[in-house]
Amino acid sequence: PGRARKVHLWSFVPHYPFPPPGRRYALGLQQGVKHTNPLIQFVLIVHTTHANSCHGNSTEQHVASNSCQLPIYRVILWYNNPYHFMTAWVEASVSTGGPSQPEKVDGVEHPMWGVSSPSQLDAGRTSLTGSGVIDSFFDYWLPVLVHEMRYSHHRLAGKSHQALGDPRGDPWKPTQGFESSFQTGEAVEICRNLARGASDRK
């Protein structure tokens, strides 16, 4: 199936366009639906900085993670942003894995620092709108994203789904434990190819 059909099946689709000439940031969109309740849908606006944008001859990218090897995006959910229900600092990077998971060197990390209440109504995994539901959601969605990144990368090289570790040949439904295989140097290669493609489209 085509990529558009697969993306249509996702419960979350972030779109972070490359900034126009003259700045290193752009507004991004996050469209989604809660995978356990299709009645809960949203379209959100965020502030996104691309690490490979070199406007002003600068690629400075402040990161808060202590295990970032190669930054990709920084997504800010500002407190005064009326188009998002969270206030948070979010990063997407290639990771060193350390200090807590050194075996995951060259994997992908997605740390988030959010403002939340300690109440279970907000922070609990069964929360409808708080930080707890974000944790629960990414436990489900990140393996899907990892699978699609690897599929898109290897599809261009002519490799089959079987070569990607999916014996069912299903391009959008990773097998159990499939996400753990994305812990090699190919993450760096994939992310650099993505960054190179974005730069070519400027």
Side-chain angles (χ1 to χ4, degrees):
R3 179 177 295 177
R5 179 185 168 194
K6 289 189 292 179
V7 171
H8 182 71
L9 295 173
W10 289 9
S11 62
F12 179 67
V13 180
H15 176 59
Y16 304 140
F18 201 80
R23 65 178 191 232
R24 298 191 61 235
Y25 64 90
L27 293 181
L29 291 177
Q30 297 177 339
Q31 186 277 332
V33 55
K34 188 174 181 183
H35 64 282
T36 57
N37 187 344
L39 296 179
I40 301 178
Q41 302 186 35
F42 56 83
V43 176
L44 309 170
I45 299 177
V46 297
H47 181 283
T48 307
T49 302
H50 292 243
N52 67 317
S53 174
C54 55
H55 170 67
N57 296 320
S58 172
T59 55
E60 178 278 328
Q61 185 83 350
H62 175 76
V63 294
S65 170
N66 64 354
S67 56
C68 171
Q69 177 184 157
L70 178 69
I72 305 171
Y73 299 118
R74 179 178 67 222
V75 180
I76 303 295
L77 314 180
W78 295 108
Y79 172 76
N80 61 351
N81 176 7
Y83 302 106
H84 205 290
F85 62 90
M86 291 286 293
T87 299
W89 173 287
V90 186
E91 297 175 359
S93 310
V94 176
S95 178
T96 64
S100 59
Q101 295 179 306
E103 73 280 3
K104 294 186 178 179
V105 59
D106 292 337
V108 176
E109 65 178 23
H110 188 269
M112 302 176 65
W113 293 266
V115 178
S116 180
S117 163
S119 167
Q120 287 299 305
L121 290 175
D122 186 65
R125 288 296 181 109
T126 57
S127 165
L128 294 178
T129 60
S131 58
V133 74
I134 301 298
D135 284 342
S136 176
F137 168 77
F138 277 107
D139 286 346
Y140 152 78
W141 186 75
L142 279 178
V144 176
L145 176 63
V146 166
H147 178 82
E148 180 59 25
M149 288 177 65
R150 298 185 81 234
Y151 168 70
S152 296
H153 175 74
H154 290 294
R155 179 178 58 88
L156 298 178
K159 294 184 179 180
S160 66
H161 293 291
Q162 284 72 22
L164 295 181
D166 185 353
R168 300 167 301 179
D170 188 334
W172 62 76
K173 188 174 182 182
T175 56
Q176 183 178 6
F178 183 86
E179 65 275 14
S180 63
S181 64
F182 192 64
Q183 298 170 5
T184 68
E186 70 179 329
V188 178
E189 180 184 357
I190 291 172
C191 293
R192 285 179 177 156
N193 287 340
L194 291 172
R196 188 179 305 115
S199 298
D200 293 342
R201 292 192 297 271
K202 286 192 297 182

